[in-house]
Amino acid sequence: MAPRKLAAGNWKMNGDLAALAEIDALVTAHPAPGCEVVICPPAMLLHPMKARAGAVIALGGQDCHANRSGAHTGDIAAGQLKDAGATYVILGHSERRADHGETDAMVAAKAAAAHAAGLTAIICVGETESQRDGDETLTVIASQLDGSIPEGATAANTVIAYEPVWAIGTGRTPTTDQIAEVHALMRERLAGKVQDAAQVRLLYGGSVKPGNAAEIFAVPDVDGALVGGASLKAIDFGPIIAALAAA
Ligand code: PGA
């Protein structure tokens, strides 16, 4: 059985209470059965968004701390995200790795905390442009996967997102052959490391738009997308969800 498809929206540091209207539009447009949809807004929007998203759209955080609670000013625990309505959390996004110095080991510790709190971790990996130019892509992805996935990861509690750093927010995307090559490597690497590796959702992320979604979703082992800019407006994210449901 193919893994259940997932369209994940990463709002990053965008959105406010007025933007909740986008959720109303998505709830109306979402063709429910074909795929699952999750929106990961800034944490303060989780609770009010939950009231609008209901059971149609799942919610997620964009980061969590590795500890359950304590003196960590400005951080959020996985259990707090859950309490606010999240069932997912994005971890190890390249912007967190770059802006906050997050290492693979830190990402693995956060993912373990997410699992302990009952959240599904969306663990991000991806090469920089110079790594791709230097032919290091597969080595980099393999080592990020090995280091960022904690013990106890399963297809139910872990999603992997392949996001080439150079494709994020740039309008550039890898070729479908390049995406296929990385996703095949990821599937193979997960076997032996994760229970039910064949069922782990593997997302592609980086400049996914309504115009390129169908082509990307036709790539083998692409089970969905992690979408940044195009997830902010229902008019863009709706067609991406529809393309995934139809794939
Ligand atoms: P983008 O971002 O879709 O705006 O390129 C993707 C991401 O960073 O998850």
Side-chain angles (χ1 to χ4, degrees), residues 121-215:
I122 301 175
I123 298 175
C124 303
V125 297
E127 82 285 3
T128 62
E129 183 153 36
S130 67
Q131 288 167 334
R132 175 156 289 276
D133 291 345
D135 228 359
E136 295 164 50
T137 299
L138 298 183
T139 322
V140 167
I141 302 300
S143 108
Q144 286 180 337
L145 281 181
D146 290 354
S148 306
I149 299 176
E151 292 284 318
T154 67
N157 67 20
T158 303
V159 173
I160 306 294
Y162 167 51
E163 298 207 305
V165 178
W166 52 273
I168 295 175
T170 59
R172 296 164 59 205
T173 53
T175 65
T176 51
D177 283 352
Q178 287 171 328
I179 296 174
E181 182 183 39
V182 172
H183 279 239
L185 168 97
M186 297 201 298
R187 184 75 70 201
E188 187 190 311
R189 200 84 186 176
L190 289 172
K193 190 163 175 62
V194 178
Q195 210 182 306
D196 312 323
Q199 292 299 312
V200 174
R201 270 92 57 90
L202 303 182
L203 311 184
Y204 167 77
S207 296
V208 177
K209 308 279 179 225
N212 62 18
E215 184 187 23

Side-chain angles (χ1 to χ4, degrees), residues 101-130:
E102 291 190 6
T103 62
D104 291 340
M106 289 162 72
V107 174
K110 288 171 181 231
H115 293 162
L119 296 180
T120 298
I122 301 175
I123 298 175
C124 303
V125 297
E127 82 285 3
T128 62
E129 183 153 36
S130 67

